[in-house]
Amino acid sequence: FEDAVRLRPEDEALGFMAVLAAAEIDGEAGDKRELAALERLVEHHPDNARALRMLALAQGASGAADASIATLDRLAQAGGSASDIAKFKGISGALSGDLDAARASLNEAGSGDPDVRLAQGYVSSLRGEDFAATDALSAVVSGTAKPDTAARTRLGLLHMAQGNFDQALPLLRPLDATRPSDSARFFYALCLQTSGLENDALLDYERLVSGEGQFAHEAAVQMAMIYLDRGQTDRASESARKAQKFGTSARLYTLEGHSDGVMNAIFSPDGARIATVSKDETAKVWDARTGQLVATLEGHASAIMTASFNDDGSRVVTASDDKTANVWNTADGSLMITLEDPAGGILSASFDRDGRTIVTASVDNSTKSWESAPFRPGDLPEDSGKPWEERFRLWKLHRYQDWLLNHSTSE
């Protein structure tokens, strides 16, 4: 169509076809081509009111507020009514972000026109006036036989933000179930997810990711969050990789708080916690769902190299260059026991499957296995008033006494 317009610029219908074709192109490239097509159309048909209105709105959407006002002044000279000029100035102002000017123009235009009510709803929504926006958009949607899809979507999102999922779902459900737009499918899936229907949401997110369209990245991120919340870390990682494939980072949050380089970061086996260790001699435990800090583990005297959770995530062991491995309670960050290796700095430490044994690797080319008590409350002496180190010493003594008793009996 663009080539045809260059050959026959006087053909008004062809010019509008070029505009519509450009509008079907997603993203910034499509917006630029649509604006260029409208500018060519107005250049050759300067008195076409429809073309002038469309150009003014496109200019407003691109942030060119002054150019939009100038185009609307041309519309006035071409015979546009005062109410129409005020309406389109309001809509253009809303698109360009000048919400105060937009509201003033829309109030001047009056609220009898559904387009004005729709624009007033958008302005209220953008200003954070959710209840006023809901009232305005509800009036438009209920009063129109075929309401604007964008109006339905905006109203549905407002209801969803207010927790009214029963009202949000029918508004966000795609009007064309056979060929829903990516945006309609995404927001509907988002509403399903927020209202607790995660399995249904995953089906729509997967379709968006498979289609690799405009919302594929956002859908993959939401899938990663659902799987992370369920503790399915492998699937969460796979979804995050898919999001990165579409050219945008799938970062859900940034864990900030260490004062020196972070040496290692790991998930707990159930995916509920993340542990980070640093050169700043501390380790930190984070909530994997929200990224919030749970506990800071302080006690090492040198850089911490690695960390490892036990099987249920209730304990974490940290390995440090200070020749120790510390075992911590992940709920409150308390130090439970210190394992000392005088031979040299400990490079790594990890639990066995049942949490009773820790294996460490050191800079002196050795690996060592340690009994990891006290991790089973039933194994410990009952004197809970004593510090962990003393309870551990008593536990070891009891274990030794048991061994002596059994050994003497067998003899």
Side-chain angles (χ1 to χ4, degrees):
F1 287 110
E2 290 172 342
D3 291 339
V5 168
R6 292 188 183 94
L7 294 173
R8 297 167 54 192
E10 73 285 352
D11 191 327
E12 186 177 286
L14 200 55
F16 278 111
M17 291 298 293
V19 172
L20 294 174
E24 292 296 316
I25 302 172
D26 290 332
E28 185 179 349
D31 294 339
K32 288 181 177 179
R33 291 176 72 172
E34 182 182 1
L35 182 59
L38 283 167
E39 288 172 343
R40 283 194 298 270
L41 182 61
V42 168
E43 178 185 353
H44 295 286
H45 306 278
D47 296 326
N48 188 298
R50 181 187 176 196
L52 288 167
R53 287 194 295 267
M54 292 174 67
L55 177 59
L57 295 179
Q59 289 168 329
S62 69
D66 291 342
S68 178
I69 291 173
T71 300
L72 290 170
D73 288 340
R74 291 176 61 182
L75 177 61
Q77 294 170 9
S81 68
S83 60
D84 265 1
I85 301 301
K87 175 174 72 174
F88 285 102
K89 278 187 177 180
I91 296 172
S92 179
L95 291 170
S96 64
D98 190 350
L99 301 182
D100 290 336
R103 171 163 286 177
S105 296
L106 291 170
N107 289 341
E108 180 184 343
S111 58
D113 186 326
D115 287 340
V116 173
R117 289 290 289 161
L118 177 59
Q120 288 173 329
Y122 277 115
V123 170
S124 293
S125 176
L126 293 170
R127 291 171 67 96
E129 301 165 354
D130 289 352
F131 290 105
T134 301
D135 289 343
L137 292 174
S138 295
V140 173
V141 170
S142 62
T144 308
K146 291 186 177 180
D148 180 75
T149 301
R152 284 170 51 95
T153 301
R154 175 73 67 168
L155 181 57
L157 292 174
L158 286 168
H159 279 306
M160 188 168 70
Q162 295 163 23
N164 303 324
F165 301 115
D166 289 343
Q167 293 173 277
L169 277 170
L171 289 164
L172 293 172
R173 183 177 292 114
L175 289 175
D176 183 357
T178 58
R179 295 183 58 194
S181 66
D182 281 358
S183 60
R185 189 186 291 280
F186 175 76
F187 289 122
Y188 183 59
L190 189 64
C191 188
L192 290 170
Q193 177 186 352
T194 310
S195 57
L197 302 173
E198 293 181 344
N199 289 333
D200 292 333
L202 284 170
L203 292 175
D204 277 317
Y205 286 144
E206 185 59 48
R207 292 187 185 101
L208 288 166
V209 171
S210 300
E212 301 187 6
Q214 181 182 0
F215 284 83
H217 166 257
E218 288 80 0
V221 170
Q222 294 303 318
M223 289 177 69
M225 294 180 71
I226 290 173
Y227 288 132
L228 193 59
D229 196 33
R230 293 178 172 183
Q232 296 173 276
T233 54
D234 290 344
R235 288 192 172 187
S237 298
E238 180 185 357
S239 295
R241 285 192 293 271
K242 287 180 179 178
Q244 288 179 316
K245 166 187 167 184
F246 301 117
T248 308
S249 171
R251 181 175 61 198
L252 303 178
Y253 44 68
T254 299
L255 305 178
E256 296 180 314
H258 287 292
S259 60
D260 206 341
V262 177
M263 303 295 290
N264 189 237
I266 60 163
F267 277 103
S268 61
D270 63 1
R273 295 283 187 265
I274 296 171
T276 57
V277 298
S278 169
K279 291 180 180 179
D280 67 6
E281 303 174 6
T282 72
K284 294 182 184 292
V285 178
W286 314 81
D287 186 309
R289 179 71 176 84
T290 65
Q292 296 298 306
L293 180 65
V294 174
T296 296
L297 315 179
E298 297 179 297
H300 283 294
S302 188
I304 305 176
M305 312 306 290
T306 62
S308 175
F309 286 96
N310 69 339
D311 196 50
D312 65 7
S314 63
R315 308 287 182 260
V316 66
V317 58
T318 53
S320 172
D321 198 39
D322 66 1
K323 304 181 182 180
T324 69
N326 285 343
V327 180
W328 314 81
N329 184 321
T330 58
D332 58 14
S334 60
L335 177 62
M336 301 184 68
I337 197 69
T338 295
L339 310 175
E340 298 185 21
D341 185 355
I346 300 179
L347 299 173
S348 70
S350 60
F351 289 94
D352 71 347
R353 183 174 294 277
D354 69 3
R356 290 178 176 271
T357 304
I358 292 173
V359 63
T360 61
S362 303
V363 295
D364 67 345
N365 301 328
S366 70
T367 59
K368 297 178 176 64
S369 180
W370 313 72
E371 289 182 288
S372 64
F375 302 128
R376 299 298 178 99
D379 291 341
L380 294 171
E382 294 300 323
D383 187 359
S384 59
K386 295 182 181 296
W388 282 108
E389 289 84 352
E390 179 65 12
R391 294 179 71 193
F392 180 58
R393 188 187 68 77
L394 291 172
W395 179 82
K396 292 284 286 185
L397 178 60
H398 285 221
R399 287 286 298 273
Y400 181 61
Q401 289 172 340
D402 290 342
W403 181 85
L404 284 176
L405 180 61
N406 294 333
H407 183 72
S408 63
T409 301
S410 63
E411 288 291 321

